[in-house]
Amino acid sequence: MPTDEQKQALRPVCKFSQDEVDAVYRAIHERRDVRDQFLPDPLPADLIERLLGAAHAAPSVGFMQPWNFTLVTDAATKERAWEAFSRANAEAANMFEGEKQALYRSLKLEGIRKAPLSICVTCDPTRGGDVVLGRTHNPRMDVYSTVCAVQNLWLAARAEGIGVGWVSIFHDADIRDILGIPDHIEIVAWLCLGRVDMLYQEPELAVKGWRQRLPIEELVFRDRWGRS
């Protein structure tokens, strides 16, 4: 039974208004991974603070809050990051063949250079101590929690009219060296943020023929794996 103090910490649950519900679903379905459409305008400090606040409000296993956010606006630092990405991107292109390789090379991935702000999101697995509630049998729960923070930021950014692009093509050691990230910290995402005036109606990779969204009916099972 909850104590009187715990009861005082509770409050009644009410459904959002229909307009608020619609706005949540709109942000989810209209979120896009922006690669090239960034405008150069700097983002106001209060806007960045709101986005970081949304990220920090994410759920985390054991309430360990393992995330850190390194904001990058320095042109020289972003250029070094772009060079690291370019080297890895050339390697990635060679992993595909034929038409797939040509399509890959045609994709514009200029977020690091164009976006006025980059945020490197990291995970500190030591933050909750050696034994963390909820992580006792799955040590990756800290990283999963950090990804929730990324999603929170992304949805808040969409609601604010801000584009976000997730750069994942780089060697970990390169970004670690550029930003001086300690060895025990895990790099989860390099995010490019900036204002946009146009977004694809569907995910860009679907529009450009890389891959289409899978039917949800094929992905939902009931009571047992594979049972539809």
Side-chain angles (χ1 to χ4, degrees):
M1 293 290 293
T3 65
D4 290 340
E5 184 178 351
Q6 290 169 338
K7 289 178 181 178
Q8 291 175 4
L10 298 172
R11 66 178 180 181
V13 174
C14 62
K15 182 181 176 182
F16 289 2
S17 71
Q18 191 57 52
D19 286 347
E20 292 169 330
V21 171
D22 291 344
V24 171
Y25 281 99
R26 180 183 175 191
I28 291 170
H29 289 290
E30 292 188 8
R31 180 210 57 80
R32 294 289 176 263
D33 189 3
V34 180
R35 294 171 169 80
D36 188 52
Q37 294 81 36
F38 293 104
L39 302 176
D41 318 56
L43 299 181
D46 61 332
L47 171 59
I48 296 171
E49 185 176 348
R50 289 197 299 273
L51 298 181
L52 293 175
H56 189 44
S60 61
V61 170
F63 203 40
M64 69 180 298
Q65 306 158 74
W67 42 70
N68 281 91
F69 310 96
T70 301
L71 278 58
V72 181
T73 56
D74 177 68
T77 302
K78 289 199 293 183
E79 186 66 18
R80 289 184 65 194
W82 182 84
E83 291 170 355
F85 155 78
S86 295
R87 291 191 296 271
N89 194 46
E91 296 169 359
N94 290 329
M95 297 178 187
F96 300 98
E97 297 180 352
E99 294 182 0
K100 207 70 171 179
Q101 183 180 105
L103 178 56
Y104 183 94
R105 292 185 184 279
S106 73
L107 298 173
K108 292 184 178 181
L109 301 168
E110 289 296 319
I112 295 176
R113 277 180 158 174
K114 283 191 171 184
L117 172 65
S118 286
I119 301 178
C120 184
V121 184
T122 54
C123 172
D124 183 351
T126 68
R127 182 155 298 157
D130 294 334
V131 181
V132 176
L133 186 155
R135 198 182 63 174
T136 53
H137 291 71
N138 187 341
R140 299 296 289 167
M141 294 306 296
D142 48 18
V143 178
Y144 302 159
S145 299
T146 304
V147 173
C148 288
V150 172
Q151 179 77 336
N152 265 24
L153 185 151
W154 214 331
L155 293 177
R158 177 63 193 92
E160 296 271 10
I162 302 302
V164 177
W166 185 331
V167 179
S168 59
I169 303 170
F170 52 74
H171 289 288
D172 186 274
D174 287 341
I175 301 302
R176 193 174 297 280
D177 177 63
I178 292 168
L179 298 184
I181 299 172
D183 290 342
H184 74 282
I185 300 295
E186 183 165 356
I187 300 171
V188 175
W190 181 290
L191 303 178
C192 304
L193 287 82
R195 295 196 184 280
V196 291
D197 55 11
M198 301 288 286
L199 284 173
Y200 283 98
Q201 296 185 41
E202 298 292 334
E204 183 177 353
L205 293 184
V207 171
K208 295 186 175 179
W210 185 266
R211 189 174 176 85
Q212 300 304 311
R213 191 180 300 281
L214 299 173
I216 186 64
E217 296 80 10
E218 297 179 4
L219 308 176
V220 178
F221 305 142
R222 184 176 296 277
D223 295 328
R224 188 176 180 84
W225 177 267
R227 179 185 292 168
S228 60

